[in-house]
Amino acid sequence: MSPLRALALLATLSLAPSTAGAQTQPEQPVWGVTYVFTSVDAYTVGHASLDITGTLEGESTPRTFSFWAGGSSTDGYSIEASRCDRLALLAMTRPGRYLFSWAYGLPYSNAPQCTLTRK
């Protein structure tokens, strides 16, 4: 490769916008919608939320949602979120075998419903 071509390539790469370090905010789920993930790539249990990154059924691009865990709290995080985190981990370790779902059950209940279904 000629030095001029190498310099042009270097200039192009250094001027291109970088998305490697870009962090996007998690999406907020819509109340009453059940989110069914065909794969779970990552999850984070927070004080009052469970952030799930994965591919929704019928889609091909992973998305991140921040689900409010609701319910009571012990040791700094929701009991409901800790139960859902075990299901998310199982879906993550066995991709393609399970569907991980998250929804809010009843309108008067803040507790989430997470399920794991074998595909």
Side-chain angles (χ1 to χ4, degrees), residues 11 52 63 84 93:
I52 303 284
R63 296 164 59 186
C84 290
T93 58

Side-chain angles (χ1 to χ4, degrees), residues 31-68:
W31 184 266
V33 173
T34 299
Y35 292 86
V36 180
F37 292 88
T38 56
S39 68
V40 174
D41 300 324
Y43 68 93
T44 304
V45 177
H47 177 70
S49 69
L50 182 67
D51 293 353
I52 303 284
T53 300
T55 305
L56 292 175
E57 192 171 43
E59 296 184 3
S60 59
T61 305
R63 296 164 59 186
T64 302
F65 291 91
S66 185
F67 296 101
W68 184 69

Side-chain angles (χ1 to χ4, degrees), residues 91-107:
M92 189 175 183
T93 58
R94 307 225 181 203
R97 290 191 60 189
Y98 296 101
L99 297 175
F100 176 77
S101 303
W102 180 286
Y104 295 104
L106 304 169

Side-chain angles (χ1 to χ4, degrees), residues 80-97:
E80 290 82 1
S82 68
R83 286 193 296 243
C84 290
D85 112 351
R86 288 189 290 271
L87 298 181
L89 178 61
L90 186 55
M92 189 175 183
T93 58
R94 307 225 181 203
R97 290 191 60 189

